[in-house]
Amino acid sequence: MSSGIEPKHGKLLAEMIVPSSHWQLQPEKQDPFTSKEAAITYLNSHNEPLYIHVPYVQDDISEDRNNGARITVTSREDDVVFTINDINNGGETALHFSHLKNLDSSLRTLVESCCDKKIVAL
C-alpha cells in the first residue's frame, strides 16, 4: 500500500468533504482544511496520507474531535483506501476513485463494522 495519496484522489475528497458541516479532511498534525482551494493548493505540493474525522451519532453533536472515527486515507493505484487503525477496532475498505460518490455509505459500513458505531452524515 502506498503511504501517500494521489493528488487527483485528494482533490476529489476535498470537493466532497471540505464543504461538509460535520466531516473534516486534514493532513497529519495540521488543522483541517477550511476551503477546497486550500486543500487543492496543499495537495499540489504534498503526497502524504490524509485523515478524515467523522463524528459518531449522539443526541448532542459536539465539536469534541475525540468523539468520532479517525480514518486514514491513502492511494493504491486507482483505489482510494480508507483505514481505521485501532488496537481493538480496525479495518479497511477501498473504492475506485471513480466511485467516490459512494463515500458516505462506504465509510458508514467501515465504521459500523469496525467500531460498532453510527456516524454523522456527510
Side-chain angles (χ1 to χ4, degrees):
M1 178 167 82
S2 170
S3 61
I5 189 158
E6 292 288 328
K8 68 180 178 182
H9 298 167
K11 290 173 186 178
L12 283 171
L13 287 170
E15 289 177 11
M16 296 176 66
I17 295 173
V18 173
S20 167
S21 60
H22 297 293
W23 293 20
Q24 296 176 325
L25 181 68
Q26 67 187 79
E28 187 172 28
K29 298 181 183 177
Q30 294 190 31
D31 291 332
F33 296 118
T34 56
S35 71
K36 291 185 285 188
E37 294 76 19
I40 290 170
T41 299
Y42 182 87
L43 292 163
N44 282 332
S45 60
H46 294 81
N47 179 20
E48 58 190 39
L50 294 177
Y51 299 87
I52 301 173
H53 180 269
V54 290
Y56 299 133
V57 172
Q58 292 184 334
D59 294 334
D60 179 28
I61 303 296
S62 68
E63 294 297 317
D64 180 5
R65 291 174 52 107
N66 295 320
N67 175 32
R70 184 173 190 234
I71 301 170
T72 306
V73 186
T74 57
S75 296
R76 183 186 315 137
E77 298 175 8
D78 285 339
D79 290 339
V80 181
V81 181
F82 303 93
T83 308
I84 296 177
N85 293 315
D86 186 291
I87 293 172
N88 299 315
N89 306 303
E92 177 179 290
T93 192
L95 284 174
H96 189 272
F97 78 95
S98 66
H99 293 248
L100 279 178
K101 63 182 177 266
N102 299 323
L103 177 68
D104 186 24
S105 63
S106 296
L107 292 188
R108 282 180 188 285
T109 302
L110 176 65
V111 170
E112 289 173 11
S113 67
C114 295
C115 304
D116 193 28
K117 300 277 188 178
K118 305 284 186 199
I119 60 173
V120 174
L122 177 61

